[in-house]
Amino acid sequence: MSWQSYIDDHLMCEIEGQRLSAAAIIGHEGSVWAQSDSFPQFKPEDINAIMTDFAKPGSLAPTGLHLGDTKYMVIQGEPGVVIRGKLGSGGVTIKKTNMALIVGIYDNPMTPGQCNMIVEKMGDYLIDQGY
């Protein structure tokens, strides 16, 4: 299975009538393994800051989580495992696996819980597979 099929068939699929607005699987060093067409163009420093927050939870809170030109307010997550961000009625969930970051971006009417479920379930699966 290609990495792109994980995006198309699992992350961007319809769940309870809703779907993510964008998704990506990104290596810890910032290389894109696969992404949806709608995923924002991010900067290397965005991924570096995310990886720093996984190593030192709370480091993103003062500055916010940036993905390209979008800034999310960091909200509760699981230190070292999941980072969650909020922007208006949408947001982002990032799950860290052994080798990659699973990123899901959502907008209303999808709920934060639906996004969390999709992203974290995929992340748990990839961790079980050694990724």
Side-chain angles (χ1 to χ4, degrees):
M1 183 181 283
S2 76
W3 290 113
Q4 191 61 45
S5 65
Y6 283 98
I7 298 291
D8 299 338
D9 300 337
H10 301 287
L11 290 171
M12 296 298 292
C13 67
E14 189 171 298
I15 303 287
E16 300 171 2
Q18 309 302 322
R19 70 178 65 231
L20 295 172
S21 54
I25 302 174
I26 301 168
H28 288 180
E29 78 296 335
S31 65
V32 175
W33 293 11
Q35 66 182 21
S36 63
D37 292 337
S38 54
F39 197 79
Q41 181 66 43
F42 60 88
K43 302 174 185 109
E45 55 265 28
D46 298 341
I47 302 306
N48 291 339
I50 291 166
M51 289 303 296
T52 297
D53 193 82
F54 278 120
K56 299 176 187 166
S59 64
L60 279 177
T63 60
L65 185 160
H66 293 265
L67 277 175
D69 295 332
T70 305
K71 177 182 175 183
Y72 297 90
M73 177 179 66
V74 178
I75 57 174
Q76 150 276 334
E78 295 173 48
V81 180
V82 176
I83 298 171
R84 297 185 181 106
K86 189 87 172 125
L87 178 64
S89 61
V92 63
T93 300
I94 304 171
K95 168 86 176 192
K96 181 179 180 257
T97 71
N98 301 325
M99 300 169 68
L101 302 173
I102 313 303
V103 184
I105 299 172
Y106 68 95
D107 289 308
N108 192 33
M110 177 173 260
T111 67
Q114 290 169 320
C115 178
N116 296 342
M117 181 184 69
I118 293 167
V119 171
E120 293 176 39
K121 189 174 181 181
M122 173 60 67
D124 291 341
Y125 172 78
L126 291 177
I127 289 169
D128 289 346
Q129 299 303 307
Y131 294 104

